[in-house]
């Protein structure tokens, strides 16, 4: 009798589950002395009801999330206690809302610790000026090597980094873009604007420029010289040194005439 009841009960469970019925609670089985099985009644739930719950839960989630954005749209965001640039302020003694940077502040990317690289001047340039007195005037085309060196006492005479083939290629590219319009493609001072009446610059093959230190060329490119304006805004520091390296290569490609390279006593050639 017990087996037949259990078998019939299992058959009923299968049939019920096919119609979507579920248990309201976990069935509790009590076994008495007579091996009688008692099962709690089931509560039928429609499958459609379970499907309709998902959109409602999703809608509630969207409303809950959107409430955070709605709560942030308040007028307090417009009335912020802040100081706008270049506005007056009674809080500070100078009456300005904009505050100057702290002494010694350096903007990111503007640290100039390597003086020779960023200025073309020697690290002890100020001390050299004090010891040697005022610099001499610009040497003429027939100046001797000692006169050229005395004219630029603070300029470095060596490149601040090794010169490679890549540096020369970069310098040639930048030279043809920025310098050849006046100095010509070969440095002979026969650029296109010179042919049209602009003031002619000196040739790179003059002896005084052959003997001028590399720091002098960097100073000219950075600060300008004569009719030549400053190219610091157009040409970065690294490219300026690369251009100077290419200028040195142009000078070495054409040896100086013997009459100019030989010095005589008294600085005459």
């Amino acid at each position: 009798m017990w087996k037949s009841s259990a078998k019939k009960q299992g058959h009923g469970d299968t049939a019920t589950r096919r119609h979507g019925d579920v248990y309201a609670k976990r069935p509790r089985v009590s076994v008495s002395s007579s091996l009688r099985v008692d099962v709690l009644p089931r509560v039928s739930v429609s499958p459609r009801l379970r499907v309709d719950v998902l959109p409602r839960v999703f809608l509630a989630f969207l409303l809950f999330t959107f409430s955070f954005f709605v709560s942030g749209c308040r007028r307090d965001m417009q009335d912020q206690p802040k100081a706008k640039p270049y506005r007056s302020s009674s809080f500070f003694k100078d009456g300005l809302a904009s505050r100057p940077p702290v002494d010694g502040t350096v903007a990111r990317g503007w640290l100039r610790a390597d003086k020779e690289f960023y200025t073309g001047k020697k690290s002890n340039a100020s001390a050299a000026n004090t010891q040697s007195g005022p610099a001499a005037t610009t040497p003429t085309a027939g100046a001797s090597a000692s006169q050229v060196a005395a004219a630029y006492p603070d300029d470095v005479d060596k490149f601040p980094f090794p010169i490679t083939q890549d540096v020369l290629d970069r310098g040639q590219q930048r030279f043809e873009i920025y310098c050849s319009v006046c100095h010509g493609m070969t440095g002979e001072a026969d650029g296109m604007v010179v042919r049209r009446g602009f003031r002619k610059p000196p040739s790179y093959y003059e002896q005084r420029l052959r003997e001028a230190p590399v720091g002098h060329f960097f100073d000219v490119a950075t600060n300008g010289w004569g009719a030549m304006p400053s190219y610091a805004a157009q040409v970065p520091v690294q490219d300026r040194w690369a251009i100077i390296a290419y200028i040195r290569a142009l000078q070495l490609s054409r040896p100086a005439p013997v009459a100019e390279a030989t010095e005589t006593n008294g600085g005459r050639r």
Side-chain angles (χ1 to χ4, degrees), residues 71-217:
S71 61
C73 297
R74 301 173 55 186
R75 188 167 179 80
D76 294 346
M77 298 183 65
Q78 300 180 8
D79 300 332
Q80 297 180 15
K82 61 182 179 181
K84 296 183 178 180
Y86 307 108
R87 294 287 183 86
S88 60
S89 174
S90 59
F91 182 80
F92 300 102
K93 293 182 179 180
D94 57 2
L96 299 176
S98 301
R99 310 311 307 150
V102 181
D103 294 340
T105 301
V106 179
R108 185 184 297 273
W110 287 90
L111 181 62
R112 301 293 185 258
D114 191 347
K115 183 177 180 180
E116 294 183 356
F117 177 76
Y118 287 103
T119 65
K121 304 294 182 181
K122 299 177 182 178
S123 300
N124 56 348
S126 58
N129 275 336
T130 304
Q131 296 175 1
S132 61
T137 58
T138 304
T140 60
S144 62
S146 59
Q147 291 175 336
V148 173
Y152 315 111
D154 300 335
D155 297 332
V156 296
D157 53 0
K158 295 181 180 180
F159 288 94
F161 56 87
I163 303 301
T164 61
Q165 185 63 43
D166 293 338
V167 175
L168 290 176
D169 293 341
R170 176 69 177 181
Q172 179 180 5
Q173 182 193 42
R174 300 290 98 180
F175 178 88
E176 293 177 354
I177 293 174
Y178 294 103
C179 309
S180 62
V181 292
C182 291
H183 294 276
M185 298 295 290
T186 60
E188 284 284 6
D190 57 350
M192 190 60 63
V193 296
V194 175
R195 299 176 189 177
R196 284 162 171 74
F198 193 76
R199 180 178 174 182
K200 183 178 181 180
S203 173
Y204 288 138
Y205 303 101
E206 293 183 5
Q207 191 62 26
R208 67 179 183 88
L209 292 182
R210 289 178 182 270
E211 298 175 354
V214 292
H216 167 67
F217 292 93

